[in-house]
């Protein structure tokens, strides 16, 4: 399936370009994602997705196949596999940046293929989830870009280390919202009723 999203960030295009390539800096803005390693071209990590009561973890890599600074265009190919299952996910993500009203407009096209439990929701639900996740990412990215990168004031005394908070999985039903969750619940209930009906008929004919 192909998905298309757009968002803007309040910085010049060159600054936005450098920020989007600084994976370690923007990693906390990626919902459900954990970055384990990044060598400037290949990202290794995982993504957690919650489907009802089940949490699915995909582990894999994402490789920058293209980084055209003059055109402000990047192509990222990502692939992952469930750590406890046969499901897979693969995406080719093409991002282009352009100036807009003193800021930067980011256009993202994603060619996504998903197998396993998340695939049962279909394109409509995944597109709605994608819209909200991209919105969350854009808001987080904008806040980080507005933060100063250099400290001029004296360093603060070291504080005791804080425990690392676990990454929260992407909750498909909660992210999609009540209308979508209701549709999914109706589909699930219909499937359960059909299964019960078939079993009753088999029992009667036994």
């Amino acid at each position: 399936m192909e998905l298309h999203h757009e968002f803007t960030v309040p910085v010049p295009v060159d600054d936005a370009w450098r920020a989007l390539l600084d994976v370690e800096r923007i990693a906390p803005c990626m919902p459900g994602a954990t970055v384990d390693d990044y060598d400037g071209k290949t990202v290794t990590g995982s993504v957690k997705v919650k489907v009802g009561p089940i949490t699915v973890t995909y582990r894999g890599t994402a490789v920058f196949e293209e980084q055209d600074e003059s055109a402000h265009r990047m192509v990222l190919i990502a692939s992952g596999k469930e750590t406890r299952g046969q499901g897979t996910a693969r995406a080719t993500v093409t991002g282009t940046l352009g100036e807009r009203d003193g800021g930067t407009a980011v256009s993202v096209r994603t060619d996504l293929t998903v197998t396993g439990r998340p695939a049962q929701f279909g394109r409509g639900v995944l597109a709605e989830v994608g819209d909200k996740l991209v919105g969350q990412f854009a808001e987080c990215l904008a806040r980080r870009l507005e933060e100063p990168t250099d400290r001029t004031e004296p360093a603060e005394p070291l504080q005791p280390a804080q425990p690392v908070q676990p990454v929260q999985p992407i909750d498909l039903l909660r992210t999609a919202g009540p209308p979508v969750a209701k549709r999914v619940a109706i589909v699930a209930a219909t499937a359960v009723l059909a299964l019960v009906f078939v079993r009753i008929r088999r029992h009667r004919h036994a």
Side-chain angles (χ1 to χ4, degrees):
M1 70 185 70
E2 185 171 299
L3 307 174
H4 182 215
H5 300 97
E6 292 187 352
F7 62 91
T8 58
V9 287
V11 296
V13 65
D14 288 335
D15 293 344
W17 172 262
R18 286 190 294 269
L20 288 172
L21 292 179
D22 189 350
V23 173
E24 294 174 338
R25 180 183 179 190
I26 66 173
C29 292
M30 302 176 186
T34 299
V35 174
D36 297 326
D37 185 58
Y38 177 52
D39 62 7
K41 182 177 181 180
T42 302
V43 184
T44 303
S46 61
V47 176
K48 292 182 179 181
V49 180
K50 186 177 181 182
V51 184
I54 301 172
T55 297
V56 180
T57 300
Y58 293 92
R59 289 198 60 82
T61 60
V63 181
F64 281 100
E65 290 291 315
E66 181 182 332
Q67 295 180 12
D68 188 339
E69 185 173 1
S70 61
H72 295 122
R73 182 179 186 272
M74 63 181 73
V75 178
L76 184 73
I77 297 180
S79 61
K81 185 180 184 300
E82 286 185 31
T83 56
R84 297 181 179 179
Q86 299 301 313
T88 61
R90 180 176 176 82
T92 299
V93 183
T94 302
T96 54
L97 285 64
E99 295 183 3
R100 179 181 294 174
D101 300 328
T104 299
V106 182
S107 175
V108 182
R109 288 192 177 276
T110 305
D111 186 359
L112 175 66
T113 303
V114 181
T115 66
R117 281 161 286 194
Q120 66 184 296
F121 293 104
R123 185 188 185 285
V125 174
L126 294 180
E128 291 189 48
V129 171
D131 288 341
K132 295 192 177 182
L133 294 180
V134 169
Q136 294 173 16
F137 173 79
E139 291 177 4
C140 178
L141 179 62
R143 290 195 301 269
R144 285 189 169 266
L145 290 175
E146 292 173 347
E147 295 174 354
T149 55
D150 298 318
R151 295 182 63 116
T152 56
E153 66 274 12
E156 297 179 358
L158 292 176
Q159 300 294 325
Q162 298 295 320
V164 177
Q165 297 296 322
V167 174
Q168 295 300 311
I170 301 169
D171 191 326
L172 285 183
L173 296 185
R174 180 175 297 178
T175 303
V180 173
K182 184 177 180 180
R183 294 204 304 268
V184 173
I186 291 173
V187 172
T190 302
V192 171
L193 289 174
L195 182 60
V196 171
F197 179 71
V198 169
R199 287 183 174 178
I200 290 174
R201 290 193 61 185
R202 286 178 178 175
H203 180 72
R204 287 178 176 176
H205 289 283

